[in-house]
Amino acid sequence: MAGQDETTKGLAVGPVTVPADALTWRFSRSSGPGGQHVNTSDTRVSLSLDVASCRALGETRRARALERLRGRLVEGVLTVSAQTHRSQVRNRLEAREKLAAVLAEAIEPPPPERRRRKPSKNAKRRRVEAKRRRGEVKRARSRPPME
């Protein structure tokens, strides 16, 4: 089956490939659809990666991932689960996709810092003009003075 081959390969995460031996698979009984099949098959998949000791990420990406995922890590290990499908193979593929997505987001470099600049003279003029027009609108709403 094509899915079996996919789950034994390394995990491509952006420019990095995490080796297959760094991934830990666990299988358990799944809740949800399946009838009597659910009671006998271990279709729920948990996929774990020890981010803290994963050499494939490199020092910078590992530090970035540890910082950004600190709320999801248990002793440096990131775990994702999949149980939406009745087939273990499909759940394995989904778990791989989930782990790759979470890890890719965690290791991407931060956006360039915004350089602050003064507003242009035209922008200042437009702002003051808009304030003046708004003030006129509010003044026009008030009742004329009583004589």
Side-chain angles (χ1 to χ4, degrees), residues 121-138:
K121 285 184 181 178
N122 248 347
K124 287 180 184 176
R125 185 188 52 73
R126 283 192 308 266
R127 183 180 132 269
V128 171
E129 185 62 28
K131 285 170 66 97
R132 188 186 60 72
R133 276 196 310 270
R134 187 72 186 144
E136 287 175 5
V137 167
K138 289 185 174 188

Side-chain angles (χ1 to χ4, degrees), residues 19-122:
D21 60 343
L23 303 173
T24 307
W25 296 91
R26 267 195 340 267
F27 308 101
S28 58
R29 294 203 174 129
S30 173
S31 62
Q36 293 175 353
H37 174 72
V38 169
N39 301 330
T40 59
S41 343
D42 290 340
T43 56
R44 180 174 193 244
V45 175
S46 294
L47 179 58
S48 301
L49 172 67
D50 190 351
V51 178
S53 66
C54 183
R55 299 281 164 233
L57 295 177
E59 197 59 43
T60 307
R61 288 186 180 105
R62 184 175 41 243
R64 199 179 293 149
L66 289 171
E67 173 63 28
R68 291 181 179 169
L69 296 172
R70 69 177 171 267
R72 287 192 66 166
L73 299 178
V74 177
E75 297 178 7
V77 178
L78 173 65
T79 303
V80 295
S81 296
Q83 64 175 1
T84 54
H85 304 287
R86 288 178 60 173
S87 158
Q88 187 187 95
V89 173
R90 286 176 66 191
N91 283 333
R92 279 177 170 228
L93 295 174
E94 184 180 334
R96 285 176 58 88
E97 289 170 9
K98 278 184 181 181
L99 185 67
V102 169
L103 210 50
E105 188 177 329
I107 66 172
E108 76 182 13
E113 209 167 295
R114 179 184 172 270
R115 292 192 291 183
R116 295 174 184 215
R117 298 211 168 91
K118 290 194 298 187
S120 67
K121 285 184 181 178
N122 248 347

Side-chain angles (χ1 to χ4, degrees), residues 1-10 93 96:
M1 204 175 208
Q4 290 287 9
D5 299 337
E6 189 68 29
T7 59
T8 57
K9 288 188 218 169
L93 295 174
R96 285 176 58 88

